[in-house]
Amino acid sequence: MDSSESNAAVWKSNEVVAQWVATVDERERARTWPRRVLAELLPFAEEEVFTFVDLGAGTGAASCAILDRYPSSTAVLADYSPQMIEEGRRALKPYQGRYRYVVIDLATGSWPPELDGGLDAVVSSLCVHHLPDDRKSALFREIFDRLRPGAWYFNYDPVKGEDVVVDDVWQRVQDRRDPEVAKRRAHRTPEESARWENHVRHISPLSPQLASLRAAGFEAIDAYWKELDHVIMGGRRPAG
Ligand SMILES: C[S@@+](CC[C@H](N)C(=O)[O-])C[C@H]1O[C@@H](n2cnc3c(N)ncnc32)[C@H](O)[C@@H]1O
């Protein structure tokens, strides 16, 4: 199995998704602020009508933050896991009429025709790190080509330290904040270890990803928010 097949096997597994959904609230409690920042970074007025695309949307945590912040917005949630989409439809009941799912495999470069171009905004959260670096770069170009001029892309994702000492510092701080996580790390089951390997396999440092955004044509590129190993990076397609 290559890495994209094993990633698909994880996200299209009933057991993994059931376990992921059972523990999502606990993880989301620590993400309230970056979710809000991601929404705030979008340059829309409170009541503006626009549609955004959420790539690797899963059950829609990023989309919900944006839909809440902009009550006239509409979401297109793109994912390839039938299980995550089914769970998402359940979670998104309060947003009926303001969202739809489309199926996309971000590992392939093949996009559904309805996302061909003119997009008002694209976001992704906790998904792009599942792609190898050459696919991340290609994906940034594909997003750039589909945004309307002047529109933004933001990606909330984990990054790797550019120096192993940096990774150690991030880990130490996280372990102090949540000693339970440190304990669980030391006693992973084989299934948990396999899932962890899938999680970290393609996590890459920040600066090459910012360089890839630049190479794709984006301007105003920055890590607009960062805490330890998590960042919100992004940029704008030039208006002209
Ligand atoms: C950790 S979850 C994050 C979900 C959501 N974005 C969030 O922030 O909670 C990763 C999501 O990425 C999706 N995903 C992973 N690889 C993908 C791929 N190659 N194409 C499309 N979706 C993918 C998974 O199905 C899953 O829903």
Side-chain angles (χ1 to χ4, degrees), residues 7 11 20 28 31 35 54-62 78-81 84 104-107 125-127 129-131:
N7 184 47
W11 288 111
W20 191 90
E28 283 303 312
R31 294 180 187 150
R35 297 286 187 207
D54 182 355
L55 295 173
T59 54
D79 206 288
Y80 74 164
S81 160
M84 290 294 276
I104 188 171
D105 182 352
L106 296 169
S125 75
L126 308 174
C127 171
H129 70 276
H130 286 305
L131 304 172

Side-chain angles (χ1 to χ4, degrees), residues 42-198:
L42 296 174
F44 300 104
E46 184 105 21
E47 294 297 336
E48 205 165 329
V49 176
F50 67 95
T51 300
F52 63 93
V53 178
D54 182 355
L55 295 173
T59 54
S63 289
C64 290
I66 299 169
L67 291 166
D68 286 343
R69 179 67 186 78
Y70 305 98
S72 304
S73 65
T74 304
V76 180
L77 294 90
D79 206 288
Y80 74 164
S81 160
Q83 290 85 352
M84 290 294 276
I85 293 174
E86 192 185 326
E87 291 291 345
R89 289 193 206 286
R90 248 192 292 278
L92 289 159
K93 279 235 168 69
Y95 302 91
Q96 207 65 46
R98 294 184 61 201
Y99 80 89
R100 62 186 186 280
Y101 271 100
V102 296
V103 175
I104 188 171
D105 182 352
L106 296 169
T108 64
S110 161
W111 287 60
E114 67 175 291
L115 301 183
D116 249 3
L119 305 178
D120 295 332
V122 175
V123 300
S124 49
S125 75
L126 308 174
C127 171
V128 171
H129 70 276
H130 286 305
L131 304 172
D133 289 348
D134 56 343
R135 258 317 288 159
K136 291 186 186 88
S137 305
L139 178 69
F140 294 163
R141 289 195 296 274
E142 291 157 16
I143 293 167
F144 180 90
D145 289 344
R146 285 164 177 80
L147 286 169
R148 64 170 169 68
W152 289 79
Y153 167 55
F154 291 107
N155 177 32
Y156 169 42
D157 226 8
V159 294
K160 194 167 149 183
E162 284 174 37
D163 173 333
V164 71
V165 180
V166 174
D167 283 311
D168 289 348
V169 172
W170 292 345
Q171 180 94 77
R172 174 166 55 75
V173 176
Q174 281 159 351
D175 288 353
R176 276 201 190 166
R177 282 182 183 171
D178 190 348
E180 276 309 307
V181 171
K183 258 191 241 160
R184 284 207 294 266
R185 190 171 59 244
H187 302 286
R188 280 190 190 123
T189 63
E191 292 75 31
E192 286 167 340
S193 295
R195 284 212 300 275
W196 180 254
E197 282 310 311
N198 186 65

